Amino acid sequence: MTAAYIRLRNVGAVAELFDIGCLYNTPVFADIPDFAYSLWELAPPLLTPQSVIKLLQPANTPDILGQHYYVTNPVTGSGVNPKWDFTSQGATKGNANAYVVGAKVSSLSAPTGSHDIDWVQLKALTGSLATAVYRTDTRGGQPPATCTPGVSADVSVKYAAKYWLLGSSI
């Protein structure tokens, strides 16, 4: 009998970013990651992320500011780094500098437990959207302990978090 071992490799997040700033200092602000993650967990497996995002946008919810995904490191040309891209929507639509590619400075285990991904601090490598990015209030996001070889090339992991982008020059 032969055992197959697969090492999972993080190729990054793909997410829509919502402006929740108007909810700061309201009773619901602290619970937003729990609410968003609960919707993810309740969603049938065949429901697309785009459909879930539409569920998060009833009439009076915040606008989508942009997207978060990973790109090849723009400084070294190798590896991947997170990018927050606000060039295609909202007030910064069309502004070629409305993005930031970050590099991790430090991380802290999520205080809610090991089932939630770490909180991180990142510094800007390129872009004018922020000089520092913080990921806090994470829910979910840990990869599965095992997977079946040959079933899928990609493994999707649901998560929710608050991202704080500070020091914008736009």
Side-chain angles (χ1 to χ4, degrees), residues 27-129:
V28 300
F29 187 76
D31 298 324
I32 290 171
D34 293 314
F35 173 71
Y37 189 69
S38 294
L39 282 180
W40 264 123
E41 288 295 291
L42 293 172
L46 297 178
L47 192 63
T48 67
Q50 291 79 8
S51 298
V52 175
I53 288 165
K54 284 182 183 179
L55 290 173
L56 292 172
Q57 290 187 305
N60 293 319
T61 61
D63 293 329
I64 294 175
L65 294 172
Q67 294 74 38
H68 167 46
Y69 50 92
Y70 277 61
V71 297
T72 301
N73 182 302
V75 176
T76 65
S78 64
V80 293
N81 288 73
K83 180 176 185 175
W84 291 265
D85 185 349
F86 288 21
T87 61
S88 64
Q89 292 178 247
T92 56
K93 182 177 182 177
N95 183 334
N97 295 314
Y99 75 93
V100 62
V101 176
K104 186 164 90 171
V105 172
S106 64
S107 65
L108 171 71
S109 295
T112 49
S114 61
H115 53 281
D116 295 328
I117 55 175
D118 291 348
W119 294 18
V120 294
Q121 174 189 2
L122 303 106
K123 65 178 180 179
L125 293 176
T126 61
S128 300
L129 188 61

Side-chain angles (χ1 to χ4, degrees), residues 125-146:
L125 293 176
T126 61
S128 300
L129 188 61
T131 57
V133 178
Y134 295 86
R135 179 180 69 201
T136 66
D137 301 281
T138 56
R139 300 298 182 270
Q142 293 292 5
T146 61

